[in-house]
Amino acid sequence: MAEPQKTWEHRLAKATDSLAVDFVESLSFDTRLYKYDIVGSIAHAEMLCEQKLLTRDELKQIKDALVEISKEIEEGKFKFDKTLEDIHMAIEAALTAKIGEAGKKLHTGRSRNDQVATDIRLWMRDEIEIIQTKIALLQKALVKLAEKYTDNVMPAYTHFQRAQPISIAAYILSFVEQLHRDYLRLKNCRTILNVSPLGSGAIAGSSLPLDRKKTASLLGFADITYNTIDAVSDRDFCAEFIFCCSMIATHLSKFAEDWIVFSTTEFDFIRIDDAFCTSSSMMPQKRNPDMLELIRGKTGSIYGSLMAILTILKAQPSGYNRDLQDDKRHVFSTSDTIEAYVDMAAAIAANTSFKTEKIAAGIDKGFLDATALAEYLVKKGIPFRTAHGIVGTLVAKCEKENKSLAEVSIDEFKKHSEKIGDDVYGCLGGKNVANSYVTASAASPAQMAEQIKYWKKQLEK
Ligand code: ARG
């Protein structure tokens, strides 16, 4: 087997300096594109053959050798040579070393510029599906958890102060909703990126009769790109992909933060299974929510990649520039992080229980029923602003006397408004209030039971 050689040995008088070899190579991180590179090359070769730029026999030799190379890489038998820079040249050199002349024809009408743009799109289409599947599994775990606690009530917070009582399911389903948007964002990202740059060449296309629609359809792209200059330099989809992952991270960092707080002795709303806690090397009593802290913390790495890709793209001159090579570092590290991140969130959701008794015992603290009382007065014909004032006065008084609204006597209520009757007690207390919500999608147990049915059906698909 001949030694693989770089393709421009006739142009440059010297071999690349060893410092430059290390600096310019991407083989250390783009090897994971190898399957996509090979699939792309096979499609390109098929098309070249149809266009009479390769013979049937040459096509067969190329295909067989590429399949062999794929196996060698898979089995760890492939010898990677970083002087070949990247996975594209490594595979091409190995092909030529195997089959000689026919191998030298593969790169006809192609540049690494359209090749890498094609490879990343192919890779990302699959990666998006993997992340979407993981999102759906997380949603399923959350729906299952929500179902257990539909009839239990917890406080909802605004400004991190007790606000109104809600079904615990409503709280949990808030994340299912957020994740649904993340799913759709990824779907949209996949739709936009699913066009073939192959055949754009280095920047202008080719004087050879390449059939771009043919390779696009062989590779399952919905269409071809329509401007070759844009096609080789467009990495919008990489930035968008990282943004989509950043939104997932934003949502799950909120989830992590909530649950870290909920698991404190002060809150004591949830218990995360021991298998997902760590302890302290010094303090024997500790049960630490490290997995959630890492979810929260890794959000920083993902945002870092978002800023990195945007900065890489900023103010590059039109056309391909080598700056683009580092796109993959950020896209790959983001996808690795988000996969582990979503898996961990799903495992925690499946292994956490809500301490319903504890939560119920504290539900009448913090006047969660104040708004419902004001709405009770509205139903009695009092303008909302007036009602708000009446209840505000009552709450201030109760706070001083250290009692809840339900503990106010009917005589005292009447001093504040003649319109208050005995039926007022039916609208006080966390559970009563949560059951009284009637607006569409309000956080009542009844509506959450309906939503759980809806999500179960959706997630079966
Ligand atoms: N490794 C390169 C990258 O990832 C491939 C494209 C190189 N193109 C070039 N004209 N040097 O972007």
Side-chain angles (χ1 to χ4, degrees):
M1 208 190 273
E3 268 301 295
Q5 271 175 339
K6 228 170 175 170
T7 51
W8 50 72
E9 59 200 333
H10 302 294
R11 174 66 180 88
L12 301 181
K14 285 184 181 170
T16 316
D17 179 85
S18 67
L19 208 56
V21 167
D22 285 342
F23 197 68
V24 81
E25 68 86 30
S26 55
L27 206 42
S28 53
F29 56 92
D30 66 13
T31 300
R32 74 160 89 182
L33 291 175
Y34 81 90
K35 271 194 187 141
Y36 302 98
D37 197 74
I38 285 172
V39 165
S41 286
I42 290 175
H44 183 65
E46 296 267 8
M47 180 277 292
L48 289 178
C49 180
E50 260 190 38
Q51 300 305 104
K52 311 262 178 290
L53 292 162
L54 282 181
T55 66
R56 287 255 131 231
D57 175 58
E58 287 166 335
L59 171 63
K60 187 177 180 326
Q61 288 182 52
I62 290 175
K63 281 191 352 190
D64 290 349
L66 285 173
V67 171
E68 255 178 61
I69 292 169
S70 178
K71 274 197 198 118
E72 286 166 20
I73 299 177
E74 200 171 310
E75 289 164 7
K77 291 182 187 147
F78 191 87
K79 245 190 79 210
F80 289 104
D81 172 0
K82 66 183 173 185
T83 64
L84 291 170
E85 295 192 7
D86 52 33
I87 190 64
H88 324 294
M89 292 218 288
I91 291 174
E92 194 195 336
L95 179 74
T96 304
K98 273 185 196 292
I99 61 172
E101 288 305 295
K104 291 189 188 171
K105 291 190 177 180
L106 175 64
H107 214 53
T108 306
R110 190 173 71 170
S111 156
R112 281 185 294 160
N113 298 356
D114 57 342
Q115 192 178 357
V116 71
T118 304
D119 290 5
I120 314 174
R121 285 171 194 261
L122 291 173
W123 172 86
M124 197 174 284
R125 281 194 325 203
D126 283 357
E127 183 56 27
I128 285 178
E129 284 182 6
I130 292 170
I131 300 172
Q132 283 181 313
T133 305
K134 290 183 186 296
I135 289 178
L137 289 173
L138 170 55
Q139 287 178 305
K140 277 187 187 174
L142 289 166
V143 169
K144 205 168 162 194
L145 187 69
E147 196 175 17
K148 278 195 211 159
Y149 302 111
T150 310
D151 290 329
N152 300 102
V153 172
M154 69 181 274
Y157 295 81
T158 65
H159 311 269
F160 207 33
Q161 305 291 318
R162 288 186 159 223
Q164 291 183 288
I166 53 166
S167 158
I168 291 181
Y171 165 72
I172 297 169
L173 291 183
S174 73
F175 292 103
V176 176
E177 203 80 35
Q178 293 168 56
L179 288 161
H180 180 58
R181 290 196 298 277
D182 296 333
Y183 187 98
L184 293 179
R185 243 187 297 276
L186 282 167
K187 186 175 168 197
N188 189 47
C189 177
R190 192 185 186 283
T191 304
I192 295 175
L193 73 80
N194 194 25
V195 285
S196 176
L198 201 57
S200 299
I203 189 160
S206 169
S207 60
L208 295 166
L210 308 178
D211 183 350
R212 295 193 55 208
K213 296 219 162 163
K214 175 76 195 177
T215 43
S217 97
L218 284 174
L219 293 169
F221 284 114
D223 203 348
I224 60 167
T225 58
Y226 286 96
N227 182 291
T228 56
I229 302 149
D230 177 50
V232 292
S233 57
D234 170 21
R235 295 292 185 278
D236 296 6
F237 61 99
C238 294
E240 194 176 351
F241 172 76
I242 300 177
F243 174 74
C244 293
C245 293
S246 297
M247 270 331 287
I248 300 172
T250 303
H251 294 146
L252 295 185
S253 71
K254 184 205 299 254
F255 160 83
E257 171 67 9
D258 277 356
W259 285 29
I260 289 166
V261 172
F262 287 174
S263 67
T264 57
T265 310
E266 286 71 12
F267 262 79
D268 208 19
F269 277 11
I270 60 170
R271 184 171 176 93
I272 302 161
D273 193 88
D274 278 356
F276 296 93
C277 292
T278 60
S279 191
S280 159
S281 58
M282 184 169 175
M283 298 170 283
Q285 84 283 13
K286 297 285 279 188
R287 289 179 86 258
N288 292 330
D290 290 37
M291 311 308 142
L292 291 167
E293 291 165 71
L294 281 164
I295 286 178
R296 191 175 57 186
K298 284 180 194 296
T299 305
S301 313
I302 296 174
Y303 290 0
S305 287
L306 180 60
M307 198 37 70
I309 188 81
L310 291 172
T311 311
I312 287 169
L313 298 179
K314 175 186 175 289
Q316 265 189 52
S318 286
Y320 178 86
N321 302 280
R322 198 61 175 257
D323 316 36
L324 292 176
Q325 175 163 285
D326 274 351
D327 57 358
K328 285 169 286 301
R329 288 184 194 276
H330 302 289
V331 161
F332 292 157
S333 78
T334 296
S335 73
D336 289 345
T337 307
I338 209 76
E339 278 194 32
Y341 197 107
V342 176
D343 281 348
M344 185 45 67
I348 293 182
N351 288 282
T352 294
S353 49
F354 276 74
K355 297 185 166 184
T356 51
E357 281 179 17
K358 279 260 179 168
I359 298 171
I363 200 72
D364 289 326
K365 282 188 206 143
F367 307 100
L368 292 163
D369 45 9
T371 309
L373 177 57
E375 289 177 355
Y376 165 89
L377 294 172
V378 167
K379 287 181 209 150
K380 301 279 177 188
I382 297 174
F384 179 74
R385 253 317 132 232
T386 312
H388 186 281
I390 293 170
V391 179
T393 310
L394 269 162
V395 166
K397 197 161 180 283
C398 287
E399 194 179 48
K400 274 196 202 117
E401 295 168 11
N402 195 22
K403 62 183 183 193
S404 68
L405 286 168
E407 286 163 342
V408 175
S409 71
I410 190 68
D411 293 340
E412 200 174 337
F413 268 135
K414 289 220 182 272
K415 278 189 215 152
H416 292 267
S417 169
E418 263 310 311
K419 303 235 164 126
I420 300 181
D422 278 330
D423 58 347
V424 71
Y425 297 104
C427 82
L428 296 175
K431 195 129 200 172
N432 288 338
V433 175
N435 282 320
S436 74
Y437 300 137
V438 290
T439 48
S441 82
S444 67
Q447 297 213 47
M448 289 310 113
E450 285 306 309
Q451 289 205 3
I452 285 166
K453 273 192 221 151
Y454 166 83
W455 280 119
K456 277 182 153 176
K457 236 198 195 148
Q458 279 307 106
L459 291 166
E460 259 166 40
K461 288 180 200 159

